[in-house]
Amino acid sequence: HTRLQGDWSSDVCSSDLRALLEKYPNSQFRNEVMFRVAENSFSNKKWERAKSDYRRLLEIESADNFQDKIIYKMAWIDYIQGKYSKAIEGFVKILDLSSEFEDKRTLLDTEAQEYLAICFYESSGSKGSASVIKLRTFAEAHANKPYFRQVYLFLGDLLANNLSFRSAAAAYKGAL
């Protein structure tokens, strides 16, 4: 117990948490511990292990309260690894989930919209017009859901900050 009070990012902590899961697989704290194990892997940049840990928790029906955080973290890992198409799918899934449940809107929505814009920008080789076209094509294929308006605005800001003013104007126009 005292080792768990120390450094949460250590491999020792991860081993201790995994041991607790093995010893008490039906504990009322199982989902929380499983999430902490995945978070530990994420913090230590063990991306594939973190994804595996998150995926395992997603498969548990009683872990619904972690679903949005898990999907977000998995999308973030894809983003970090430069897997922009997969990251985009994950961030859209977050936004679709919160659209279904108005009361579940969180800070994750804003971050997912922001990272969607970044993914479109970076996956286009930081080319302004290409990123706007990619976003427009993607949004149209996904019924131009309302949350895309904010993605266009974030992309416009990103493009303007990178002095790509024509493309920024096109992105802002997409938000209208």
Side-chain angles (χ1 to χ4, degrees):
H1 169 51
T2 55
R3 284 191 351 201
L4 290 177
Q5 293 174 346
D7 180 12
W8 277 91
S9 65
S10 74
D11 285 333
V12 171
C13 176
S14 182
S15 296
D16 287 347
L17 290 173
R18 289 179 195 280
L20 281 172
L21 285 171
E22 281 184 37
K23 189 171 182 177
Y24 304 103
N26 299 317
S27 165
Q28 67 184 16
F29 303 109
R30 175 193 64 189
N31 295 350
E32 180 69 32
V33 173
M34 288 179 74
F35 185 72
R36 295 297 156 212
V37 167
E39 289 287 272
N40 181 276
S41 297
F42 184 92
S43 295
N44 287 311
K45 299 179 180 170
K46 295 178 179 175
W47 308 127
E48 294 311 314
R49 182 158 199 175
K51 282 178 87 167
S52 173
D53 292 338
Y54 287 129
R55 217 176 277 114
R56 202 168 19 262
L57 184 55
L58 260 184
E59 293 170 2
I60 298 173
E61 283 184 37
S62 63
D64 283 351
N65 55 328
F66 291 102
Q67 185 179 23
D68 56 344
K69 292 178 198 87
I70 292 169
I71 294 168
Y72 177 80
K73 288 293 184 107
M74 290 175 67
W76 222 88
I77 292 168
D78 289 328
Y79 165 74
I80 289 167
Q81 294 178 326
K83 299 175 183 173
Y84 299 116
S85 295
K86 286 186 79 175
I88 288 168
E89 288 174 28
F91 292 129
V92 165
K93 193 182 255 187
I94 289 290
L95 296 168
D96 285 343
L97 266 177
S98 74
S99 293
E100 289 176 33
F101 307 101
E102 286 293 322
D103 60 323
K104 270 190 100 175
R105 294 200 173 232
T106 66
L107 181 60
L108 291 181
D109 291 2
T110 303
E111 288 186 24
Q113 290 166 325
E114 227 175 323
Y115 276 99
L116 269 172
I118 293 168
C119 285
F120 282 108
Y121 179 74
E122 291 185 5
S123 69
S124 301
S126 303
K127 304 252 186 310
S129 59
S131 59
V132 176
I133 291 167
K134 260 187 162 176
L135 173 54
R136 184 179 308 122
T137 303
F138 189 86
E140 287 171 358
H142 288 81
N144 282 314
K145 293 181 180 171
Y147 56 73
F148 282 112
R149 180 179 184 280
Q150 190 61 47
V151 178
Y152 276 110
L153 294 174
F154 281 130
L155 181 59
D157 291 347
L158 181 60
L159 292 165
N161 289 338
N162 285 287
L163 307 178
S164 184
F165 299 114
R166 260 196 194 132
S167 297
Y172 292 134
K173 186 178 177 184
L176 299 177

